[in-house]
Amino acid sequence: MSTTERELAAFMAAAQAGDGKAYRQLLDRLSVHLKGHIRRMLARMGSNGAAELDDILQETLIAVHGRLHTYDPAYPVIAWVNAIARYKLVDHYRAVGDNRRKIPIDEVETLMSEPEAYQADAARDVERLLSTLPANLRRPIEEVKLRGLSIAEAAGAAGMSQAAVKVGIHRGMKRLIARFGIGAPSMAGNG
Amino acid sequence: MASLGNDGGQLLDTDQLIDRLVADHRRVNPHWIERACLLAAGAALAVAIVLVAAVIGFRDDIPAAVMEGRILAKYGFVVLASLTAGLVYCRMARPGRRLKVLWLAYLIPLGLVIAAAAITAAGRGLGDIGATVADPNWRFCVTLVPAFAVIPFALFAAVLRRAAPTDLAGAGFATGILATAVTALAYAAHCPADSPLFVAVWYPLAFLIGGFAGAVVAPRLMRW
């Protein structure tokens, strides 16, 4: 079981027991996951409409809310929520009455499963690499490189100067490269 | 629930939606489906018993006949079929489960009753077997069991509407099988045909009629 899945399962168990904070964490994480998942399903169908993505994402979140009791702790949270998203996507097109559009869902699922697994692995790898850095070097990288904040935003959030953030990123990257021999251009790119 | 997604027609952004969902959050029971299924099964059985008693009556040799081996075997089959159907139904109530795989469970009671029928048939002539299978009671079995199962079906379908089946036709099939199997628990105490040869042919057929009818109506009935 991956780190993500373990966390989701813990939040889910607490949310089912009535813990509102855990429920918010669960919804926040599921919403991030679902955005990517639904976008990929839509892309497979030849659609890139952001409005559709938002509609289906929200319909799925509402369904998650109303059907929280249908999650069985013996099964992965991701599989449960993906099944709901897929159902809501099919339902969305049925409701819209768009019968011309083919929904090759079965195919989607088989095609998706592998890249998604890779992605989860990659996310775990990054998490593990970063965990080897001290916090003062890790945070700037997480916020700027992973979460996409600007240098100024990261500096504000961490209460550091912009120069300190830049130096932190630089030193952190150097240390990761030295330790793991990661390809320098891809990691050092993007500003 | 639908009102959570919009605010007087004005759409919320996802963060606002999550705020509302969190505000509306309550503790849930992860075994709700199983509990609701048991309650529905109790109510369904009560309805079926009342219908059988009121419309066709129970057989009058009940106290004496109950311990007869083939009646026990008949009940064994119907009970096992109901339990199996209940398990498949509960699974189908959750997202992502498909009948494509789960239907294999039905083969357990079906295989056993067919084996019992084969043992019964051994050493008997074809004419004798044919006469046992074609007992005129078959007409009642394949019509009354599905007919009496309508209210039980509605009860089980009502539970699924509050669950989250994603394979609606499959869930409807499982619901139809469960409703007819539970109804057969009551009907079996009316029907005087007890031979495994009879039971192995007509009871499964009655269940299948229920299953296919359920698969047809479920996509409209159980959407969520």
Side-chain angles (χ1 to χ4, degrees):
Chain A
M1 205 189 268
S2 70
T3 316
T4 315
E5 180 58 44
R6 233 190 330 261
E7 279 174 2
L8 286 175
F11 288 135
M12 177 61 95
Q16 282 189 328
D19 179 340
K21 276 186 187 147
Y23 186 52
R24 178 178 291 280
Q25 290 278 356
L26 178 75
L27 289 183
D28 282 342
R29 281 162 201 244
L30 287 183
S31 128
V32 170
H33 161 78
L34 283 169
K35 208 165 208 167
H37 183 68
I38 296 167
R39 185 186 286 124
R40 287 191 295 272
M41 284 200 291
L42 286 171
R44 283 276 166 201
M45 291 165 49
S47 160
N48 57 0
E52 281 176 334
L53 174 62
D54 275 350
D55 280 355
I56 297 167
L57 171 63
Q58 296 202 356
E59 282 165 25
T60 305
L61 286 173
I62 292 168
V64 162
H65 180 70
R67 316 278 153 173
L68 204 63
H69 60 283
T70 69
Y71 168 71
D72 180 346
Y75 290 83
V77 178
I78 291 288
W80 176 79
V81 79
N82 283 356
I84 293 178
R86 176 186 145 182
Y87 177 83
K88 283 295 164 188
L89 182 130
V90 173
D91 199 56
H92 181 82
Y93 282 106
R94 198 191 288 128
V96 170
D98 190 349
N99 296 321
R100 288 162 298 131
R101 197 188 290 275
K102 280 207 173 99
I103 306 180
I105 298 293
D106 279 312
E107 204 186 344
V108 169
E109 211 170 41
T110 23
L111 289 171
M112 293 318 298
S113 55
E114 261 191 284
E116 255 173 349
Y118 289 145
Q119 221 167 37
D121 282 349
R124 198 167 53 227
D125 288 345
V126 170
E127 220 171 89
R128 209 175 48 223
L129 288 182
L130 287 177
S131 70
T132 64
L133 292 177
N136 63 328
L137 300 183
R138 188 176 69 231
R139 266 194 75 176
I141 294 181
E142 277 174 352
E143 296 195 329
V144 175
K145 299 290 185 184
L146 299 183
R147 291 182 54 203
L149 298 185
S150 70
I151 299 284
E153 284 166 337
M160 297 160 78
S161 72
Q162 294 194 26
V165 170
K166 281 189 201 169
V167 170
I169 290 173
H170 183 71
R171 282 179 51 212
M173 286 297 193
K174 254 177 97 173
R175 197 177 291 189
L176 284 178
I177 291 164
R179 197 171 295 166
F180 299 101
I182 306 162
S186 62
M187 282 298 273
N190 186 29
Chain B
M1 208 60 69
S3 65
L4 287 165
N6 60 65
D7 190 4
Q10 198 183 4
L11 283 171
L12 300 167
D13 72 28
T14 301
D15 289 338
Q16 290 171 308
L17 175 66
I18 289 178
D19 287 344
R20 294 226 173 164
L21 297 182
V22 170
D24 187 58
H25 175 60
R26 261 162 298 146
R27 178 195 175 93
V28 298
N29 177 0
H31 303 295
W32 182 87
I33 289 169
E34 288 76 13
R35 227 180 48 177
C37 174
L38 273 179
L39 288 174
L45 184 58
V47 167
I49 288 173
V50 167
L51 281 172
V52 169
V55 181
I56 52 181
F58 290 109
R59 55 197 286 175
D60 40 26
D61 59 345
I62 281 185
V66 168
M67 290 317 289
E68 215 179 297
R70 54 191 205 149
I71 294 184
L72 287 180
K74 177 165 96 168
Y75 255 96
F77 166 67
V78 182
V79 168
L80 186 61
S82 297
L83 292 177
T84 309
L87 287 177
V88 173
Y89 165 90
C90 284
R91 299 235 143 189
M92 290 300 296
R94 296 184 192 269
R97 312 296 165 76
R98 319 193 65 183
L99 197 64
K100 231 181 193 174
V101 184
L102 288 169
W103 73 274
L104 291 167
Y106 296 136
L107 295 182
I108 297 166
L110 187 64
L112 285 173
V113 78
I114 287 174
I119 292 168
T120 311
R124 289 170 68 171
L126 267 184
D128 185 13
I129 294 172
T132 309
V133 171
D135 182 308
N137 276 301
W138 72 266
R139 291 187 186 83
F140 299 111
C141 180
V142 297
T143 54
L144 290 181
V145 170
F148 288 170
V150 168
I151 294 173
F153 180 87
L155 290 168
F156 289 120
V159 171
L160 280 203
R161 277 179 67 90
R162 303 224 39 229
T166 51
D167 171 7
L168 291 185
F173 186 87
T175 307
I177 296 276
L178 178 60
T180 41
V182 169
T183 303
L185 287 169
Y187 177 83
H190 155 80
C191 181
D194 300 321
S195 169
L197 285 166
F198 180 90
V199 173
V201 174
W202 302 113
Y203 279 66
L205 189 66
F207 301 164
L208 274 179
I209 291 170
F212 280 110
V216 170
V217 301
R220 285 157 194 274
L221 216 57
M222 295 176 188
R223 260 183 78 186
W224 51 278

